[in-house]
């Protein structure tokens, strides 16, 4: 590529920023110039925080969530209900479920979902370790909280087969019309499922 | 603030990213998780590029554009016309003018424009050094290429006063309707100016 800026150092920094997802060269330049205007100490802090995180962050030995310690704060919290495991695709989904404040069990982060199109098979995911957790006993329910897509359904089905031999209750998060959605604009598959999975009114 | 993530290292990195302009906590988390998935070497490269740029980048002694050397590549290029100086607000504006490929002179980066609302006065800008460049001789024309705002106009006026005693041609970039704009939707001030500043048809 032809050099665009009057400084190769600037060029390099812009190039690095524009490798990040959703950041083009214009935004990258804006971010880099912002960095140039900041105090030296602030930039050091930024750089150190990223380098340290990359170097030191661990994945929880039990649930594979991001953690600073061998076992994450959720898995090691005695107030959480260890008999219920919520299976999610990734770290963001743990945050999403945590934010609802409706779940008090433990998690299991698969690290993706089965997607033949992207070359991701069951062996690439933390499915065996989930089966081991269930096999170790003490787990009464496994909640599958994956995306409502073909890939999510495939992964749900695969996990259900793997857990079929264990005395554990398997459930899937409810699918239906979103809170605040108008019926008129709900797609027919969602609406159909929400009718099939109707719940008693006063629940 | 309450800790939101299961890792303080992650928390810190997200916090640092979300200090950047236009990046909220959700985007910051996405960027940080992307960093986590990258190769160690790639992250080192990212971090080094920013740290090095912040430490080593200079401002050109002549035009105050960003540069790796004492004098920037534009100022030291013998093919550029040193008798014309284009005055711009900041580094991005140098890039914007360069991208037009219509200007072959040198630049002068003010580092801002006069803005009493933001507490920026003439003394905060590189106006004296511009006057010195003109006083040193050899400059035939100064092109004022500032934003078409109240602050831009004020700065233009201030510079014109400062340069009044020197035998230098002072010009302002043309203001008129943008290429591709429809007359119907052009504001009346712009349209009025574009009529006053009309140019011979075959130019």
């Amino acid at each position: 590529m032809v050099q665009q800026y009057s400084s190769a150092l600037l060029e390099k920094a812009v190039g690095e920023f524009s490798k990040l997802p959703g950041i083009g060269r214009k935004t990258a330049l804006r971010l880099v110039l912002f960095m140039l205007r900041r105090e030296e100490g602030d930039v050091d802090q930024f750089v150190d925080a990223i380098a340290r995180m990359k170097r030191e962050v661990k994945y929880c030995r039990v649930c594979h969530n991001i953690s600073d310690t061998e076992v994450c704060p959720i898995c090691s919290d005695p107030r959480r209900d260890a008999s219920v495991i919520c299976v999610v695709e990734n770290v963001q989904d743990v945050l999403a479920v945590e934010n609802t404040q409706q779940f008090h069990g433990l998690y299991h982060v698969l690290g993706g979902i089965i997607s033949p199109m992207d070359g991701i098979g069951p062996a690439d995911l933390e499915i065996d370790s989930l089966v081991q957790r269930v096999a170790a006993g003490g787990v009464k329910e496994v909640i599958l909280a994956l995306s409502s897509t073909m890939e999510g359904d495939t992964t749900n089905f695969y996990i259900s087969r793997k857990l079929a031999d264990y005395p554990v209750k398997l459930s899937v998060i409810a699918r239906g019309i979103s809170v605040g959605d108008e019926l008129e604009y709900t797609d027919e598959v969602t609406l159909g499922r929400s009718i099939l999975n109707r719940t008693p009114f006063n629940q």
Side-chain angles (χ1 to χ4, degrees), chain A:
Chain A
M1 216 190 76
V2 194
Q3 191 185 318
Q4 204 186 349
Y5 309 120
S6 55
S7 154
L9 294 166
L10 183 79
E11 181 80 33
K12 181 100 182 67
V14 170
E16 286 296 329
F17 259 113
S18 61
K19 284 181 194 165
L20 303 183
I23 295 193
R25 286 188 70 84
K26 265 212 165 141
T27 307
L29 177 62
R30 197 158 52 85
L31 296 178
V32 167
L33 292 174
F34 172 77
M35 284 287 174
L36 266 185
R37 282 197 305 274
R38 292 176 88 181
E39 297 289 320
E40 191 109 16
D42 290 344
V43 174
D44 287 347
Q45 236 179 54
F46 174 84
V47 157
D48 289 348
I50 292 160
R52 248 194 91 192
M53 176 207 64
K54 180 65 188 176
R55 224 169 34 233
E56 297 179 16
V57 110
K58 296 179 184 67
Y59 291 90
C60 171
R61 190 162 44 81
V62 181
C63 73
H64 311 288
N65 189 11
I66 283 176
S67 172
D68 295 342
T69 44
E70 281 288 301
V71 175
C72 79
I74 295 177
C75 286
S76 52
D77 185 344
R79 289 164 303 177
R80 311 263 328 193
D81 181 359
S83 72
V84 190
I85 294 177
C86 178
V87 176
V88 292
E89 182 181 337
N90 55 38
V91 176
Q92 287 104 308
D93 294 346
V94 172
L95 291 172
V97 176
E98 279 295 282
N99 284 338
T100 67
Q101 304 190 329
Q102 297 295 328
F103 180 69
H104 309 288
L106 305 184
Y107 291 93
H108 192 87
V109 180
L110 292 179
I113 42 177
I114 297 173
S115 172
M117 293 279 282
D118 302 314
I120 302 172
D124 301 314
L125 308 176
E126 294 290 352
I127 293 178
D128 286 344
S129 58
L130 172 65
V131 176
Q132 280 160 28
R133 280 178 82 178
V134 172
V139 180
K140 290 187 193 136
E141 180 175 4
V142 170
I143 302 174
L144 299 168
L146 301 182
S147 296
S148 183
T149 59
M150 186 79 103
E151 289 79 12
D153 290 344
T154 307
T155 312
N156 282 344
F157 181 70
Y158 184 87
I159 292 174
S160 72
R161 289 276 296 272
K162 281 281 185 181
L163 294 179
D165 296 340
Y166 299 96
V168 68
K169 188 176 151 198
L170 203 62
S171 54
V172 172
I173 52 169
R175 284 148 185 199
I177 67 169
S178 295
V179 175
D181 263 12
E182 288 186 55
L183 217 65
E184 189 179 345
Y185 303 111
T186 306
D187 71 281
E188 58 273 19
V189 181
T190 301
L191 191 51
R193 282 194 187 206
S194 77
I195 291 170
L196 286 174
N197 298 325
R198 63 195 178 277
T199 50
F201 181 64
N202 259 333
Q203 202 189 23

